[in-house]
Amino acid sequence: ALTLLFFLFLADAVARWREEGRLAVWLHVPILQSRFAAAAASQGFDFHHAEQGSSTLTLWLGEGPSRLPGYATHQLGVAGAVLDESTGKVLVVQDRNKTLNAWKFPGGLANPGEDIGDTAVREVFEETGIKSEFKSILSLRQQHQHPGAFGKSDMYIICRLQPSSFDIRFCRQECLRCEWMDLQELARTKDATPITSNVAKLLLYGYREGFGKIDLTMREFPAVYTGRFYKLYHRELPQPYRNI
Amino acid sequence: ALTLLFFLFLADAVARWREEGRLAVWLHVPILQSRFAAAAASQGFDFHHAEQGSSTLTLWLGEGPSRLPGYATHQLGVAGAVLDESTGKVLVVQDRNKTLNAWKFPGGLANPGEDIGDTAVREVFEETGIKSEFKSILSLRQQHQHPGAFGKSDMYIICRLQPSSFDIRFCRQECLRCEWMDLQELARTKDATPITSNVAKLLLYGYREGFGKIDLTMREFPAVYTGRFYKLYHRELPQPYRNI
């Protein structure tokens, strides 16, 4: 009976909003009241997104296709290329449960609200036991309809990290192997994913000719809306251009 | 009655799966059948995500907090810094409906499945009428709990684009102003967002001393799973290092 009441109320309200020239209706439905989501869907509402105990539905009333902003489209994976500059060795792992036992840099998915460098440092520590510090971003990859992302896109960033501990204690749930491998060997081996080989070559270039050749470094800025800061990554800007 | 039957069936099944040592249950519920989502929620299920006509719920049965992968955490915005190298002028806009009338590069949110460079080129054309070609990525910014991202994170990438048309016909729904502005003037003006000023300085550095100083260029690779390609962006790798 309550659902029927809601159905009639909503139909009436939507008709009025349409007459008033409104462009869209947003509806928030707690998961335990999901029967109201079904009632709204029978009037053309769709899910915009849902998380934990709450869903958000929308109905587009304007002309043509919906111009409402979509929801998050990307997951973010971050890996760390941890180079021991004193030995020229880099930290690599082989995943457990993968058909292809190729060497790669340790890494994983960002937690909500986590900064890129923090994800790299955390994932490297969880997988390998190695402590490290963020230095720069080396590469960025975008992949669509990613099998591990529920059909969404995947952004994958590799960071350059500097180790502050060297004794490997790797996670046997996630990794089959973990070792410090000579960087030139990693750049040459066939037993690495294409992206790992490529970034190993890039890192070797930086190691030999200066990391300034390969790094995207970070600067922090205050956000336009108050109280927050954001991190911007790009090529180091020489001093004369900073105060131009 | 059907909802009650489902409730009893689910309770029974979950008890059995728990005994069998299963780690998690996934449940897909069409929006018109959302009363089943409410029934599942009363047994501890939560939304994992929902889109259009379908929701996905999960129940974690393992020990400790859920180790299930989350859903997409980032929206992606892409802007284009379109530089006319023959005049040293760059394409800038001022947004309509913003308190702060600061100059910025035209851009907007990526469509699902759209490549970074394609988003930049499309958004520049939609906002300004200028046709252009993707050259490189210049910068990357990450911001959390973004007001325009439903509490999710925002990734914002600025690309370097080369114009192939020069006659501005800007979108008056989105933009208040649009012009070709001298790059050095943009790098110096107070009437620009901090990120725009900063990337203008970077672009000026590249314009004067070679874009090779500032560019992240793109290479395409076959994905590990068949039939797809992905784009990898990093600093240009000199030839000797490619065939090391």
Side-chain angles (χ1 to χ4, degrees):
Chain A
L2 195 58
T3 314
L4 180 61
L5 212 63
F6 172 77
F7 181 92
L8 295 172
F9 160 81
L10 187 65
D12 188 57
V14 166
R16 194 172 63 248
W17 292 328
R18 206 183 284 275
E19 265 177 36
E20 292 172 6
R22 306 226 176 205
L23 284 179
V25 186
W26 294 83
L27 187 66
H28 299 280
V29 183
I31 192 169
L32 287 166
Q33 272 72 55
S34 285
R35 64 201 154 126
F36 297 124
S42 71
Q43 293 177 36
F45 280 78
D46 258 341
F47 282 122
H48 183 271
H49 66 275
E51 194 173 26
Q52 296 186 322
S54 171
S55 66
T56 299
L57 285 72
T58 55
L59 177 66
W60 176 248
L61 300 178
E63 280 179 39
S66 167
R67 292 193 305 273
L68 292 177
Y71 195 59
T73 51
H74 286 68
Q75 70 176 21
L76 175 63
V78 187
V82 188
L83 178 64
D84 179 353
E85 291 176 48
S86 67
T87 61
K89 292 190 174 186
V90 65
L91 188 65
V92 286
V93 297
Q94 286 188 5
D95 279 345
R96 194 170 278 286
N97 310 321
K98 290 277 160 88
T99 44
L100 187 80
N101 281 328
W103 291 108
K104 51 180 284 246
F105 301 115
L109 290 180
N111 288 334
E114 189 177 45
D115 282 346
I116 292 165
D118 295 339
T119 305
V121 167
R122 176 183 57 74
E123 283 285 346
V124 164
F125 182 73
E126 287 177 7
E127 283 191 27
T128 70
I130 296 296
K131 290 178 189 165
S132 63
E133 188 193 329
F134 173 80
K135 302 306 286 184
S136 71
I137 287 178
L138 296 177
S139 71
L140 172 72
R141 182 201 68 187
Q142 190 189 31
Q143 218 170 354
H144 302 299
Q145 295 177 275
H146 194 267
F150 305 92
K152 294 285 155 183
S153 299
D154 179 85
M155 191 80 86
Y156 176 68
I157 290 175
I158 300 179
C159 298
R160 184 168 73 78
L161 305 183
Q162 188 172 51
S164 58
S165 81
F166 301 89
D167 184 19
I168 292 173
R169 278 163 304 189
F170 71 92
C171 170
R172 280 158 211 278
Q173 279 189 332
E174 290 187 73
C175 305
L176 190 67
R177 293 181 196 168
C178 176
E179 62 181 60
W180 290 103
M181 183 183 283
D182 183 78
L183 179 56
Q184 184 165 309
E185 190 186 327
L186 182 64
R188 283 177 178 168
T189 182
K190 299 280 176 232
D191 297 331
T193 63
I195 189 169
T196 305
S197 295
N198 208 66
V199 172
K201 288 169 187 163
L202 186 71
L203 190 57
L204 188 63
Y205 169 44
Y207 181 52
R208 289 191 181 159
E209 308 195 17
F211 294 120
K213 302 270 191 192
I214 62 170
D215 284 345
L216 288 200
T217 51
M218 187 270 285
R219 291 182 67 191
E220 216 157 5
F221 286 87
V224 173
Y225 46 102
T226 48
R228 295 197 165 274
F229 283 78
Y230 61 81
K231 289 174 175 169
L232 179 69
Y233 307 84
H234 57 66
R235 297 280 298 150
E236 189 78 25
L237 191 59
Q239 202 58 49
Y241 287 92
R242 293 189 188 201
N243 311 311
I244 206 147
Chain B
L2 195 57
T3 313
L4 180 61
L5 212 63
F6 172 76
F7 180 91
L8 295 171
F9 160 81
L10 187 65
D12 189 58
V14 166
R16 194 171 64 246
W17 291 327
R18 206 183 283 275
E19 264 176 37
E20 291 171 7
R22 306 228 176 203
L23 284 179
V25 186
W26 293 84
L27 187 65
H28 299 280
V29 183
I31 193 168
L32 287 166
Q33 272 72 55
S34 285
R35 65 202 153 127
F36 297 126
S42 70
Q43 293 177 35
F45 281 79
D46 258 340
F47 282 122
H48 184 272
H49 65 274
E51 194 172 28
Q52 296 186 322
S54 171
S55 66
T56 299
L57 284 72
T58 55
L59 177 65
W60 176 249
L61 301 177
E63 279 179 38
S66 166
R67 292 193 305 273
L68 292 176
Y71 195 60
T73 51
H74 286 68
Q75 69 176 21
L76 175 63
V78 187
V82 189
L83 178 65
D84 178 353
E85 292 177 48
S86 67
T87 61
K89 290 189 176 188
V90 66
L91 188 64
V92 285
V93 296
Q94 287 187 5
D95 279 346
R96 194 170 278 286
N97 309 323
K98 291 277 161 91
T99 44
L100 188 80
N101 282 326
W103 291 108
K104 51 181 283 247
F105 301 116
L109 290 178
N111 288 333
E114 189 176 46
D115 283 345
I116 293 165
D118 295 340
T119 305
V121 166
R122 175 183 57 74
E123 283 284 345
V124 164
F125 182 73
E126 287 176 8
E127 284 192 27
T128 70
I130 297 297
K131 290 179 190 164
S132 63
E133 189 192 330
F134 172 80
K135 303 306 285 184
S136 71
I137 286 178
L138 296 178
S139 71
L140 172 72
R141 182 201 68 188
Q142 190 189 30
Q143 216 169 357
H144 302 299
Q145 295 178 275
H146 194 267
F150 305 92
K152 294 284 155 185
S153 300
D154 178 85
M155 191 79 88
Y156 176 68
I157 290 175
I158 300 180
C159 298
R160 185 168 71 82
L161 305 182
Q162 188 171 54
S164 60
S165 81
F166 301 88
D167 185 19
I168 292 173
R169 279 161 304 188
F170 71 92
C171 170
R172 278 157 211 278
Q173 280 189 330
E174 290 188 74
C175 304
L176 189 69
R177 296 179 195 168
C178 176
E179 61 181 58
W180 290 103
M181 184 184 283
D182 182 77
L183 179 56
Q184 184 166 309
E185 190 187 328
L186 181 64
R188 285 179 177 169
T189 182
K190 299 282 174 229
D191 297 331
T193 64
I195 190 169
T196 305
S197 294
N198 208 65
V199 172
K201 288 169 188 165
L202 186 73
L203 190 57
L204 188 63
Y205 169 45
Y207 181 52
R208 290 190 180 160
E209 307 195 18
F211 295 120
K213 303 269 191 192
I214 61 169
D215 283 345
L216 288 200
T217 51
M218 189 270 284
R219 292 183 65 191
E220 217 157 4
F221 287 87
V224 173
Y225 47 103
T226 47
R228 294 196 166 275
F229 284 79
Y230 62 81
K231 290 174 174 168
L232 180 69
Y233 306 84
H234 57 66
R235 295 280 298 151
E236 190 78 24
L237 191 60
Q239 203 58 50
Y241 287 92
R242 293 191 188 199
N243 311 311
I244 206 146

